[in-house]
Amino acid sequence: MKVWKLLSPKIFAEEERPDAIASPTQAKVKITKVLLGYPEVRAYTGAAGVRYPLVPGMYAVGIVAETGSDCVKVEKNTRVFLNGISPCGECAECRRGNFTGCLFPKVAGMGRDGFLRDFVVAEEGSLTPLPPSVTDITALYAGILSHCDNIVNKLDVPKGTHVAVLGAGESGNILSQLLIYRQAVPILIDKDEERLAVAAKCGVYYTLKADDDLIGELNEITGGRMAEGCVYTSFNGISPELPFRITAARGKVVFAGMEFPELSVHLKAALDKRLTLTGVSNDSIQSAAAINLLVNKAVELSPLLAAEQPAEAIASLFAAKAEVLERDGRVSASVLDLM
Ligand SMILES: [Zn+2]
C-alpha cells in the first residue's frame, strides 16, 4: 500500500508498506475518500503536538477489497465507514470491559497512523457498512455526527431547552441540527455570516452574529432567560468567555472538539453563576448509530459538504489550509478523493 506520511511539520513523503491481512478477523479496504479537517491541518503544522512520522486522516470511507476467513459483516465490495477512534484496551474503563468509556482512546491521524493511504488493513469491528442511501461523501461526516451526539447526551437537556452553540463550522452546524432533531432549541452563533447562512440552509432557524447586539437578541429569543445550555466548539475564533455571559445561572457549558486549543478564561464569571462546565472530545464513536441518523435524514448535510480534491493535490492543499488556519484561527474541511 501507499501511505502519505508526515516526516516532520509540513514535510510529506510517500511510502510503500506491506498490506497483507494478518488475522482472520481483518479486512483489506481500498480507501476512496478521506476527510481533511482541522485535526489533520494541525497535525501537518505541528500545532497538535503529535509524534512524527505520522500518517494523517481521522475519518475515511472505502470499499472492502479482501476479507479474512472469520469476517461476518463485510465482504468484498462492501462500502464502509472507517472509525478512526478506538479504545486503548489498557485504561481502567477498558479493563472493566467498558470500551465505549475508554479514558484514552487512540485516534487515527493523531495518536496512531491515520487513513491517508490507498489501502488499509483493519479489524472488521472498526468497519461500518454503508447502506445505499448514504453516499460516500455524506458518510465521511459520520464521525462528526457521532461526536455531536455525544455532546447532546452530555447536555442532557429537556425538550424545548434553549442551547447556544458557538461556532458555525461543521461541528456547530451539525450539532445545531441534531439538537433540533432531539427537540431542543439551538441558537447558533458565529462571527462569519457566510457560515451562518449555510447553517440556515441546513434548517437551523436561530442564527445570530457574534457582535454587539448578541445579548439583546438572545434575550429576545429566550424571553429573557438566556441559554440554559451552551456549547463552545473548538477553533471558532470566538472568545471562550462568551459562554459564561450568555448562559443562564446554573446552566451547563460544554467545551467540545476533537482537540482543544490553549484556552484561558476568567473562571469567576462561571462560578458566580454556578455553571456546570465539562468537555467532550474524542470520546467513543458510535458509527452505526451515526449512519442510522444519516439514513433517517436527521441532519441535512448537502449545503455543508466540502469540495473534493484529487490525491495529487495533497501537499498543496495541506499547505493552503495551514495558511488559512494560521491566519484565521479556523479552517473549513475538504475531502480528498483517493480513487
Ligand atoms: Zn481505554
Side-chain angles (χ1 to χ4, degrees):
M1 71 177 86
K2 178 158 85 176
V3 306
W4 287 268
K5 68 174 181 183
L6 286 163
L7 296 175
S8 59
K10 303 188 178 181
I11 307 292
F12 264 114
E14 291 181 22
E15 183 184 87
E16 283 295 328
R17 289 188 186 173
D19 55 6
I21 289 177
S23 103
T25 55
Q26 288 181 335
K28 181 174 165 182
V29 179
K30 167 84 186 91
I31 302 286
T32 52
K33 288 184 177 30
V34 179
L35 192 68
L36 203 168
Y38 69 78
E40 285 71 29
V41 180
R42 278 172 51 83
Y44 172 81
T45 61
V50 296
R51 285 197 190 162
Y52 301 98
L54 179 78
V55 179
M58 195 180 292
Y59 302 125
V61 293
I63 299 173
V64 173
E66 198 185 325
T67 54
S69 54
D70 288 352
C71 287
V72 289
K73 68 175 187 181
V74 298
E75 56 189 8
K76 189 171 160 52
N77 292 330
T78 305
R79 278 191 317 129
V80 292
F81 171 71
L82 292 113
N83 180 354
I85 300 180
S86 51
C88 73
E90 293 165 1
C91 72
E93 294 296 329
C94 283
R95 282 204 304 270
R96 290 200 326 210
N98 177 24
F99 296 109
T100 56
C102 175
L103 300 170
F104 308 105
K106 290 184 178 166
V107 183
M110 292 176 76
R112 64 182 169 91
D113 279 344
F115 298 121
L116 197 56
R117 53 178 78 219
D118 59 355
F119 285 93
V120 69
V121 173
E123 284 297 323
E124 188 192 31
S126 66
L127 307 176
T128 307
L130 295 173
S133 66
V134 176
T135 63
D136 284 359
I137 189 162
T138 306
L140 275 183
Y141 290 78
I144 297 176
L145 187 52
S146 183
H147 170 65
C148 292
D149 209 21
N150 287 338
I151 299 168
V152 174
N153 291 338
K154 187 73 93 172
L155 279 168
D156 190 26
V157 288
K159 286 178 189 174
T161 304
H162 289 109
V163 178
V165 177
L166 302 186
E170 291 82 8
S171 298
N173 180 324
I174 292 171
L175 172 64
S176 298
Q177 295 189 54
L178 197 57
L179 283 163
I180 292 170
Y181 186 70
R182 305 269 192 234
Q183 300 183 319
V185 184
I187 302 157
L188 182 59
I189 297 166
D190 202 295
K191 289 179 186 170
D192 183 340
E193 287 181 50
E194 257 175 59
R195 285 179 182 231
L196 291 174
V198 170
K201 270 191 209 157
C202 293
V204 178
Y205 39 84
Y206 290 128
T207 59
L208 293 182
K209 194 162 181 216
D211 59 17
D212 296 345
D213 300 331
L214 176 66
I215 303 290
E217 287 172 327
L218 203 61
N219 247 316
E220 204 164 297
I221 293 170
T222 61
R225 292 192 304 271
M226 303 305 275
E228 290 150 85
C230 180
V231 180
Y232 181 94
T233 62
S234 275
F235 302 102
N236 64 43
I238 296 173
S239 163
E241 294 187 8
L242 187 59
F244 304 162
R245 291 180 56 208
I246 63 175
T247 308
R250 296 183 199 284
K252 279 185 194 170
V253 176
V254 178
F255 285 81
M258 295 317 296
E259 271 190 83
F260 298 113
E262 291 298 328
L263 293 174
S264 303
V265 293
H266 288 102
L267 205 49
K268 186 175 185 313
L271 300 177
D272 284 345
K273 280 174 128 175
R274 312 290 193 272
L275 301 180
T276 302
L277 304 190
T278 186
V280 174
S281 189
N282 43 22
D283 303 18
S284 85
I285 282 191
Q286 308 298 324
S287 307
I291 299 295
N292 229 6
L293 286 168
L294 291 173
V295 170
N296 292 334
K297 307 229 179 300
V299 292
E300 169 61 53
L301 295 181
S302 43
L304 182 69
L305 295 176
E308 293 190 50
Q309 307 281 345
E312 302 82 71
I314 285 176
S316 57
L317 186 63
F318 270 86
K321 283 188 167 292
E323 218 168 277
V324 172
L325 184 64
E326 277 161 17
R327 188 187 64 215
D328 301 343
R330 60 195 300 175
V331 66
S332 57
S334 285
V335 169
L336 277 167
D337 183 350
L338 299 183
M339 280 302 276

